[in-house]
Amino acid sequence: MTPPITIAIDGPSGSGKSSVSKEVARRLGVAYLDTGAMYRAATWWCLREGVDLTDTQAVTAVVDTMPLTMSVNPNDPTVRVDDINISEAIRDTGISTKVSAVATNIEVREILRTLQRNRITAERTGGFSQGKGIVAEGRDITTVVAPDADVRILLTASEEARLRRRAQDVHGTADAQAVEATKDEVLRRDADDSTVTQFQIAADGVITLDSSDLDFEQTITAVLNIIEHTTTPAQ
């Protein structure tokens, strides 16, 4: 029987880590955990509950009791809070511009990290993947949440490439106007989050993959090659 595998992928905004991680999980037949969606869900829930995001204690209290349900099926990574499907709502620009206020809350990070570790453990013993494992992606998976993961990758890209990709995702085009409209969201989010976790430079043992000059399929292939090389015993 093949042992379970935990693959941790971190990276800055627009690096492609979500779409790449999801496809890698699909091809490997394992679970997929989008930890960024957890912070977005927490932001959505706090706003719905009327919590001032600058009130760190109130935010922590609300997030601690958040009725969050996340699918780890890479074909249907649904996010629900209080049984409301918010998978689309959390991608709204209104959430994107506010999520850092929640994501930089240290106590909130500890709450969500615990949930993330529990899910990773569950997928190594059963769960959706039936014990095959999981691909978990975010900002601090390789360093804090799962530093003992079987494979740890920092997926990065040039600022130009990241802005272009995010503009395409959000606006459906990567022309100059769309890129400019996306710049604040991407760069400010990275700057804010870098105050609480390091995801710009690979930690010891973490493999850096620069996808600036790679298309989607080439990036998938590169990640799969890293996984194969890392998990294959030396002859």
Side-chain angles (χ1 to χ4, degrees), residues 193-209:
D193 286 3
S194 66
T195 65
V196 292
T197 187
Q198 175 54 262
F199 55 89
Q200 305 279 14
I201 301 173
D204 289 346
V206 177
I207 299 170
T208 299
L209 173 59

Side-chain angles (χ1 to χ4, degrees), residues 3 20 87-88 99 117 119 145 159 175 180 193 206 212 225:
V20 168
S87 304
E88 295 292 333
V99 64
R117 293 185 185 107
R119 174 60 75 172
V145 176
E159 181 179 304
D175 61 23
E180 187 62 32
D193 286 3
V206 177
S212 300
N225 285 341

Side-chain angles (χ1 to χ4, degrees), residues 146-160:
D148 57 349
D150 302 288
V151 182
R152 297 187 295 156
I153 299 172
L154 176 67
L155 181 61
T156 188
S158 67
E159 181 179 304
E160 179 185 5

